[in-house]
Amino acid sequence: MSGGMAEPTAAVSARLVSCEHAADGRVTARGAVMGTVFTVRAYPGYGMDEGRTEEACMRALACAVFWEGVMSAMDAESQLAALNAAPAGVKVPVSPELRRVLSLSLEYACLTRGAFDPTLGPFIRLWKKSRRLGVLPSQEELERARRASGWEKLSVDGEGVMKATEGMRMDLGGIGKGFAVDRMAEMLEERGVESFCIDSTSDVLAGAPPPGMRGWKLRVAVEGGRLEQRLLSHAAVSTSGDAHQFAEIGGVTYSHVLDPATGLGVTEGRQITVQACTAALADALSTAACVMPEEAFRALAGRIPGVSVLGFFRHPPPENERSRAFSGQKIP
């Protein structure tokens, strides 16, 4: 696999949901990873048969399982959990894989001026407790979390990672799935698969179009929430918002996306769909768009090559969804 990692195979077998073969040669494999279902659709590459295509899809799902073990803030055995438990003020050696995703996270935090922030773990812990108990954190709790958070207090270089403040905990929920999808695409391409589409529910990445078509069909919510069919190839799309993922506390509806400025869920109902050249970038930008003023986000998106805003609209949560509180900066 890319990044010098080993090739796990046994892990994916226990998480495989289904694998189907279509008459036109397309293989569709689904696996449960990162708290959701990843779907890989692929057509055989040059000189490949369906068997080799299926093997490539399975390897791609195993790739997602591997990266979950690197990035998960929930798994006590993950590489990220070990870093979160390490003391502040000392440089901690980490694997090339963890360093890669953390470096990219800091790059996107800088790009969005902190609207996307991978260090919100202390706030996320408080927010999970608040949703469970139905009570907002106290100002003292929020202030402690604020002192322990902040992407500028995290440094990553070739020698390791250093947290500048005690209690800092990284959480990669706003980029993790997109990052994993990008690595899965690399896996497929390394194995000769060019025509594929990977879907992690909120993040979609398409390679070359299906045979005889101009792109993979994708339905997205555009301005006003209207659904439109788009053709996607060699690009990624990510959607964030609170249309289905929110909690209600004290009569106020809070998104599952946290505002780094307050440490609480965003209260303005939004749904944003962003297209970008990579799934990680689309994922981080769609998360940041939930926090940033619309004009500022559109201006930022317009300065980044390959990025477009497919949908940015406000909405009240549906009445029949108000009782649903999802886990998920997207909180995992």
Side-chain angles (χ1 to χ4, degrees):
M1 291 187 181
S2 297
M5 57 188 249
E7 294 192 5
T9 55
V12 74
S13 61
R15 303 182 183 210
L16 183 65
V17 174
S18 65
C19 185
E20 303 165 357
H21 291 250
D24 62 356
R26 184 179 69 189
V27 175
T28 301
R30 295 181 175 87
V33 191
M34 298 184 181
T36 188
V37 174
F38 279 63
T39 301
V40 182
R41 298 176 177 87
Y43 285 89
Y46 179 78
M48 296 179 67
D49 58 17
E50 290 185 29
R52 286 180 58 194
T53 305
E54 177 180 325
E55 180 186 2
C57 292
M58 295 301 181
R59 294 287 185 177
L61 290 173
C63 178
V65 173
F66 172 87
W67 281 101
E68 182 179 28
V70 173
M71 301 185 292
S72 175
M74 301 293 294
D75 182 358
E77 303 300 318
S78 76
Q79 295 182 30
L80 185 65
L83 177 61
N84 282 339
V90 296
K91 190 158 288 186
V92 180
V94 297
S95 70
E97 292 83 17
L98 183 56
R99 183 169 62 244
R100 180 181 183 183
V101 65
L102 287 176
S103 295
L104 189 64
S105 296
L106 289 181
E107 178 183 329
Y108 293 160
C110 182
L111 178 69
T112 62
R113 297 185 178 182
F116 164 78
D117 189 337
T119 71
L120 298 185
F123 282 121
I124 289 173
R125 275 189 162 183
L126 284 180
W127 190 234
K128 287 183 177 180
K129 178 182 176 181
S130 292
R131 291 187 309 179
R132 185 174 68 253
L133 301 179
V135 180
L136 293 179
S138 69
Q139 287 303 312
E140 291 77 12
E141 290 175 315
L142 289 172
E143 184 55 35
R144 281 197 299 270
R146 185 168 290 107
R147 289 196 297 267
S149 303
W151 66 275
E152 293 152 311
K153 303 172 187 174
L154 180 69
S155 60
V156 181
D157 60 28
E159 297 180 1
V161 178
M162 186 167 68
K163 301 177 290 184
T165 181
E166 289 293 344
M168 175 176 282
R169 294 179 56 84
M170 278 68 73
D171 190 290
L172 300 175
I175 191 176
K177 291 185 179 69
F179 186 90
V181 166
D182 287 333
R183 307 290 76 76
M184 294 168 72
E186 291 176 351
M187 168 63 68
L188 292 172
E189 291 169 347
E190 288 172 2
R191 281 174 154 63
V193 176
E194 297 180 354
S195 177
F196 61 83
C197 183
I198 306 171
D199 180 356
S200 72
T201 307
S202 59
D203 304 285
V204 179
L205 174 65
M213 299 184 66
R214 293 186 294 114
W216 292 86
K217 294 180 181 179
L218 177 69
R219 291 211 314 169
V220 299
V222 296
E223 306 305 332
R226 179 170 46 87
L227 289 176
E228 278 190 3
Q229 181 174 283
R230 300 292 180 97
L231 294 177
L232 189 69
S233 64
H234 303 292
V237 168
S238 180
T239 299
S240 291
D242 61 357
H244 302 292
Q245 301 191 49
F246 55 84
E248 189 172 295
I249 300 176
V252 178
T253 299
Y254 295 90
S255 170
H256 71 299
V257 180
L258 299 190
D259 183 346
T262 65
L264 303 177
V266 176
T267 56
E268 179 184 323
R270 288 183 178 184
Q271 183 162 318
I272 300 97
T273 301
V274 178
Q275 180 171 319
C277 55
T278 68
L281 178 57
D283 199 0
L285 286 177
S286 67
T287 300
C290 292
V291 176
M292 296 176 65
E294 180 176 355
E295 297 76 13
F297 178 74
R298 288 187 181 276
L300 171 64
R303 296 193 298 268
I304 306 173
V307 171
S308 58
V309 182
L310 302 184
F312 193 120
F313 58 92
R314 296 169 176 81
H315 59 83
E319 288 297 329
N320 62 350
E321 295 285 350
R322 283 191 177 274
S323 63
R324 298 177 67 179
F326 287 71
S327 61
Q329 187 153 352
K330 303 174 194 169
I331 301 176

